[in-house]
Amino acid sequence: MKLKVTIEQQPLEFIQRQPPEHRKRLRDVLRAVERGTVFPGPLEDELEGFYKLKVERFRLILQSVATPEGPGFRVVFAERRTVVYEMFSQLLGLE
């Protein structure tokens, strides 16, 4: 099943700032989600309703969305693994 993946401004800028080899891996994983060969894992507790993608030392946070073409995901946040969940919780006002 083909999914549509859109990327918001913050994750787009984050990906663009990475060295070429990391940018390629991040893009490859998002393409795999679109092809349906990779599915993001659900987050729990206060971040329930969001999904995560692990790409080496990075984490992408996605939200499930309905598009005219069918189901999809919107990438809403991206950061290094060590700080991603804390920063995203602050952004949502949970901390």
Side-chain angles (χ1 to χ4, degrees):
M1 170 189 250
K2 181 101 169 148
L3 298 170
K4 177 73 175 166
V5 176
T6 57
I7 306 173
E8 290 190 357
Q9 192 66 32
Q10 186 278 337
L12 181 62
E13 290 173 358
F14 177 82
I15 292 168
Q16 290 172 340
R17 285 193 311 266
Q18 302 310 308
E21 64 274 4
H22 294 301
R23 265 196 319 267
K24 181 180 182 336
R25 288 187 185 103
L26 289 162
R27 284 192 311 257
D28 287 348
V29 167
L30 292 174
R31 286 187 192 111
V33 171
E34 287 186 324
R35 288 190 308 270
T37 57
V38 170
F39 193 82
L43 293 175
E44 299 175 355
D45 299 327
E46 67 268 0
L47 297 179
E48 189 172 338
F50 292 95
Y51 297 82
K52 66 182 172 189
L53 275 176
K54 299 176 182 181
V55 185
E56 296 180 357
R57 63 181 182 193
F58 306 107
R59 296 296 179 269
L60 303 175
I61 298 180
L62 299 87
Q63 189 172 29
S64 180
V65 295
T67 69
E69 298 85 23
F73 284 101
R74 179 175 52 231
V75 183
V76 295
F77 198 74
E79 194 47 78
R80 294 176 326 261
R81 179 189 56 81
T82 56
V83 297
V84 67
Y85 301 115
E86 182 178 325
M87 290 178 73
F88 187 62
S89 292
Q90 288 174 356
L91 183 69
L92 292 178
L94 299 173
E95 288 189 7

